[in-house]
Amino acid sequence: MLLTYLKTFLVGGCLCLIGQVLIDKTKLTPARILTAYVVSGVFLGGVGVYQPFADWAGAGATIPLTGFGNALAQGVRKAVAEKGAVGIFTGGLTAAAGGICAAVFFGLLFALIFRAREK
C-alpha cells in the first residue's frame, strides 16, 4: 500500500517537475505546455504505450493532463471499433465526458461561492 502511494507521488511529481522546468527554462507559455501534455498523452495512448504505464503508475499517470489525453485516445479507439469512422468524432468526448462535466460543475460552483479579485 505504501509503495503504491510512493509510486503515484513520484510519477505525478515527475510529470509536474517536467512542466515546471519547461516553464522556467523555455519561453513556452503554460497554455502551450498544457496542450503539449494532452497531445503527448493522446499520442502515447494511441500507439499503446501510455496505458501500460498508467496501469503501473496508477493515479500518478491518470490524473495529470497526459492521462486526460490517454483517455481521449482510448475513447476514440473503442468508439471506432464499435461504430466505425463516426467514432473518430464521438469517442474522445464520450470517454472524457465525466471529467469535463466535473470540471465545468466545480468551476461554476467555486465561481458562485468565491468572489474574484484583481491582483
Side-chain angles (χ1 to χ4, degrees):
M1 177 77 82
L2 181 63
L3 183 63
T4 303
Y5 291 139
L6 182 64
K7 186 172 31 173
T8 299
F9 176 77
L10 290 175
V11 170
C14 285
L15 288 171
C16 292
L17 176 71
I18 293 167
Q20 190 63 49
V21 168
L22 289 172
I23 288 172
D24 292 343
K25 300 295 182 186
T26 67
K27 294 186 181 206
L28 291 173
T29 63
R32 289 186 180 186
I33 295 169
L34 175 145
T35 304
Y37 268 43
V38 173
V39 170
S40 65
V42 169
F43 176 76
L44 294 172
V47 297
V49 175
Y50 199 83
Q51 193 57 48
F53 173 65
D55 292 340
W56 176 79
T62 57
I63 300 296
L65 290 169
T66 50
F68 177 71
N70 180 50
L72 292 173
Q74 297 305 319
V76 169
R77 181 180 286 165
K78 182 179 175 187
V80 167
E82 293 175 358
K83 300 176 186 172
V86 175
I88 295 170
F89 302 107
T90 61
L93 289 177
T94 302
I100 294 169
C101 201
V104 170
F105 172 76
F106 287 113
L108 176 64
L109 180 68
F110 283 100
L112 293 174
I113 294 173
F114 297 103
R115 183 173 299 263
R117 288 180 261 160
E118 291 187 32
K119 292 183 178 182

